[in-house]
Amino acid sequence: MTTTSTETTPVIPLPGHTAALLTGLGALAVTASSLMAWTWTADYPGDLTYYGSPAGLQWLALAAGLITLLLLLATQGVPGLRWAAPRHSHNAVLFAATGSLAVGWFSAISIATDLGGLANLEPGALVLAAGSLLAVAGALGLPLDRRTAVPLRILDKRLFLLVPAAPIAWFATHAIPEDKPVAPVLTALAGALAIATGAVLLVQLGHLANSWLRLGTVQRPLPAARELPSWAEVGLIVIAFAVGLFAITFGIDTEYGELFTGYLLLAASVVAALGRSGLIARLRALTVKYQAVTTGAAFAAAASFPFTQTSDQYTSVATNILIFATVALGLNIVVGLAGLLDLGYVAFLGVGAYSAALVSGSPASPIHVQFPFWAAMLTGAAVSMVFGVVIGAPTLRLRGDYLAIVTLGFGEIFRITMLNLNGTTGPKVTNGSNGIPRIPDLKILGWDLGKPTTVFGVELGRFSNYYLLMLLVTALVVLVFARVGNSRIGRAWVAIREDETAAEAMGINGFRLKLLAFALGACLAGLAGTVQAHVSYTVTPDQYTFAEALPPNSAFLLAAVILGGMGTISGPLAGATLLFLIPKKLEFLADYQLLAFGIALIVLMRVRPEGLIPNRRQQLEFHEAAIPAQPTGDGVALTKAGA
């Protein structure tokens, strides 16, 4: 197995005390800048014109500065703070400082761009930019965990021909009058060349930075945690989930795109910093020790979200995130466990939604029946399961790209069929493009989810009611996934995913188990579809396409599973949350929204191809070359199979 040597050295040769001092001064400057005015006018979102009163992006700068300072003091061995960095790795300080740099320079550039020049920056923004740069420079002078050698990777030289081609196309665009027929074509060509040039230069810059920094991980055992009473350890778990609830609530409640972008930059750097510090590993050990408490705390934190809101504005976003995440978790059975590439999975969500809409008492339904809550949900789940079996039986003998093409066709056939069942080109069942409107709200044991409900003195609106219902559905899907994934059937699915021929040679009935995965995944999607139909009031065919600017659709569902981490529970939940929030919050990018979203996905897949929360097997598959050699008694290094 290929091994990589590591060392602990600074990137910039500085005395240790000097580097720590510079980092601390930079972190203090970033913290202080949050109490100063960043601009003179309130035209920039968030009104950053006040002294001593942080708002908007200034809260992010305050958090970035304090976290950087905390990790720096922890790595320096300050008594009472060493718990924050159990591994004593200065890489955590560098990642936190990089987060402050990203937030600081993004804020300054955004203010200057929106308001029309650097003259709109007040002293606070300048202190922020300078302080964050000083913090990163100081962190680069600390002893960092690095690889001894990283060869510089140069892209194909032909790609660099785009660099002179982009300005030539730009000049040609401006030289031709706008009334010429060729002008729009040249404008589009110039834009495409500019985007391609920027992407090439950005990737090459990343390779240069990787070769210079050579950041890695020095494998050192995590020191034994201090013995604490059980109540204290349980308290730490509860505090961790409370902090997580606050962070997620802050992200969902962001009122404008600039603040959400800064939030993403800071969140990514803080998670990376806490991972390198060892704090996340220590918390994970506690959650494994107290699994029941962890499950209860997670559910309680999620259920507490509606009580933190003053209106249903953001609770509706959270409800749709849960619907999207639940469907993604169902797809994870098909893709993550069984290894079946399904490009039309959103159709099963549509089957469940249409089934529930037809039997829930809508005036536009030709059936004219109104099932109770439980019967409507069972109907949606059962019909989706039947469709999963009907579609899977003739197609699951295919493999790879052929199966993907067939499932993609099924998704489009479902949408077109729903359009044609309009009473003109086919039987009147779905009302064609008009869909099935006026779906009544659910009623559960006399509880009307469409009316506000008062709980513990807090009034919960319609979306809050559906959020709590969807939370129960998500918990059910998580339970099913966990039980099935750890069962004999789940292990058989994994065997089929890894090598179907070898699995069948060992006596596994590949077709039957793949059909079971298809049916179960479709059933879970249909279950979520029944709730979606009542949340949205209307079911129309255009809600269930392969690709759209906003989820849920098949492309986003598959991206959520792969981005989050295939074969895990928390991975698709995290991936679905990000993939719903990012397009929703980046609407300020207008026509460039999908472009920015695509670039972010490409960068993330390049940096972490195994997903945000992968399982151990995938980490070994993608990063086997970076894993240090592990000596064994007979001199044979461990491989993926023996790890």
Side-chain angles (χ1 to χ4, degrees), residues 57-70:
L57 288 166
Q58 291 173 332
W59 284 114
L60 301 180
L62 178 63
L66 291 178
I67 292 173
T68 304
L69 192 60
L70 172 65

Side-chain angles (χ1 to χ4, degrees), residues 173-184 187:
T173 301
H174 288 73
I176 296 178
E178 296 182 358
D179 57 349
K180 298 294 184 181
V182 74
T187 302

Side-chain angles (χ1 to χ4, degrees), residues 49-128:
T49 61
Y50 294 97
Y51 281 84
S53 179
L57 288 166
Q58 291 173 332
W59 284 114
L60 301 180
L62 178 63
L66 291 178
I67 292 173
T68 304
L69 192 60
L70 172 65
L71 292 176
L72 175 65
L73 295 177
T75 55
Q76 297 300 310
V78 174
L81 296 178
R82 284 175 288 190
W83 56 267
R87 287 204 172 104
H88 303 290
S89 174
H90 291 101
N91 292 47
V93 181
L94 177 60
F95 278 109
T98 303
S100 66
L101 178 71
V103 171
W105 283 78
F106 165 76
S107 302
I109 293 173
S110 177
I111 292 172
T113 302
D114 286 4
L115 299 182
L118 296 175
N120 295 282
L121 298 178
E122 287 290 295
L126 301 177
V127 171
L128 172 66

Side-chain angles (χ1 to χ4, degrees), residues 38 43-46 48 56-58 60 102-103 106-115 250 254-266 584-589:
W38 289 7
D43 292 341
Y44 187 81
L48 311 178
L57 288 166
Q58 291 173 332
L60 301 180
V103 171
F106 165 76
S107 302
I109 293 173
S110 177
I111 292 172
T113 302
D114 286 4
L115 299 182
F250 186 91
T254 49
E255 298 178 353
Y256 46 93
E258 292 84 352
L259 179 58
F260 182 71
T261 304
Y263 166 80
L264 284 181
L265 294 173
L266 179 61
K584 187 75 174 178
K585 296 295 185 178
L586 295 187
E587 293 177 351
F588 75 100
L589 291 176

